[in-house]
Amino acid sequence: MTSSKSSFNFRQVPPPAGAKDKPANAYARFIPREELDEFQAWTPGAFGDLGAAPGVHQTQPRPSLRPEPEPAPAPAAPPEPTAEQWAARIEEARAQGYSQGYRDGLEALDAAKRQFAQQVSAQMAQVVAAFDAQTAALDARLADTLVQTAVMLARQVVRSEIAQRPELIVQVAQDAVGAVILSARHLRLRLHPADLPLVEQGCADLLKARGVVLQADATLQPGGCVVESDLGQVDARIEARWAQAAAVLGQDTPLDSPERADDAAPAEEQPA
């Protein structure tokens, strides 16, 4: 804002009553605008522009009485370690490295041992399982072979007994007739023609008491017989009794089966 000079004459204003007894004060009354020669509008944000405003008095900053702090001295560099200190540090680092390496090596060794033990255990379990399976199979084969051998020997014994002791048919006929209940009628005993005279002599009393009729039958093998009645029949043929005995041992080898080479004679030793 530009300053301007007033061209008006100032009017004298008498002082208020009682002002004569008080000392005069230059700022005791309101200064009219017309009495101001130069002025400038002031705003709070105009502090930075006071130096450039004409007619405005700028005050110098008041010097501070507090002494400024001195800058802190730079820290002194640590002294260089001596040769003994370097050697001690190297020895300490070497000991730490050795300790850590030894500990890591022990842990790795323990892990390798555990893994090896697990592998060996698994392999041994497989070997034991395979051995058990082979042993069980071998036992089964041995048992089967033993039973077959026993059956072969029994068959040879039966054949030999029938050929050498034909009188055994008498006991067979008595057992067969005794198995028929007493209420049965019309009993008929079929025998091989070669066994008929032996049964007539050995079982005469039993045959007469039960009223048994003897009949020769060439289809039957020596040593066997069949008893027939009105209530059924009793099969005492030698092959039937042999089949029952072989079935108990789990075999189905017939009595009249041909002999094998290994049954007739022991196996010859093979040359090494």
Side-chain angles (χ1 to χ4, degrees):
M1 178 183 294
T2 56
S3 61
S4 60
K5 295 181 178 180
S6 180
S7 58
F8 297 95
N9 296 324
F10 297 108
R11 184 170 56 89
Q12 298 294 332
V13 179
K20 295 180 179 181
D21 299 335
K22 296 181 179 180
N25 188 356
Y27 301 99
R29 64 183 181 88
F30 177 76
I31 303 175
R33 180 171 181 163
E34 291 79 2
E35 297 179 5
L36 299 178
D37 293 336
E38 293 181 359
F39 63 91
Q40 182 179 3
W42 172 81
T43 58
F47 284 106
D49 298 334
L50 293 177
V56 178
H57 177 70
Q58 296 182 0
T59 60
Q60 296 296 329
R62 183 178 181 182
S64 177
L65 300 178
R66 181 181 299 177
E68 296 181 359
E70 297 181 358
E80 291 292 333
T82 61
E84 291 77 6
Q85 293 177 347
W86 278 114
R89 293 182 181 180
I90 293 174
E91 183 64 21
E92 182 180 1
R94 187 192 67 80
Q96 292 179 356
Y98 176 81
S99 177
Q100 294 177 0
Y102 185 76
R103 183 179 61 253
D104 295 342
L106 290 179
E107 293 178 357
L109 179 61
D110 293 339
K113 287 181 179 179
R114 289 192 297 269
Q115 184 178 3
F116 179 75
Q118 293 176 357
Q119 293 178 355
V120 171
S121 299
Q123 293 176 359
M124 289 300 298
Q126 295 178 357
V127 171
V128 171
F131 180 76
D132 291 341
Q134 294 178 0
T135 303
L138 180 61
D139 292 341
R141 289 196 298 269
L142 289 176
D144 186 63
T145 302
L146 181 61
V147 172
Q148 291 179 0
T149 303
V151 170
M152 296 300 175
L153 292 175
R155 185 175 62 177
Q156 293 180 3
V157 170
V158 170
R159 289 178 177 178
S160 177
E161 288 292 321
I162 294 175
Q164 296 179 7
R165 300 176 60 187
E167 65 275 9
L168 294 177
I169 186 59
V170 176
Q171 185 64 39
V172 174
Q174 291 179 355
D175 295 340
V177 174
V180 181
I181 60 176
L182 297 177
S183 61
R185 296 290 183 270
H186 310 293
L187 275 68
R188 182 176 58 181
L189 179 60
R190 293 190 291 116
L191 301 165
H192 189 271
D195 296 337
L196 189 60
L198 298 175
V199 174
E200 288 178 345
Q201 296 177 3
C203 301
D205 297 339
L206 178 62
L207 297 177
K208 184 178 179 180
R210 298 294 302 269
V212 179
V213 178
L214 298 180
Q215 180 182 355
D217 189 351
T219 60
L220 299 178
Q221 293 184 3
C225 64
V226 176
V227 180
E228 298 177 349
S229 67
D230 58 345
L231 299 179
Q233 69 176 11
V234 177
D235 188 358
R237 295 175 300 166
I238 188 66
E239 58 269 21
R241 290 181 292 163
W242 169 258
Q244 294 177 359
V248 174
L249 299 176
Q251 300 295 317
D252 56 354
T253 305
L255 182 63
D256 56 351
S257 62
E259 296 285 352
R260 295 184 300 178
D262 53 351
D263 297 337
E268 298 180 358
E269 296 182 358
Q270 299 293 333

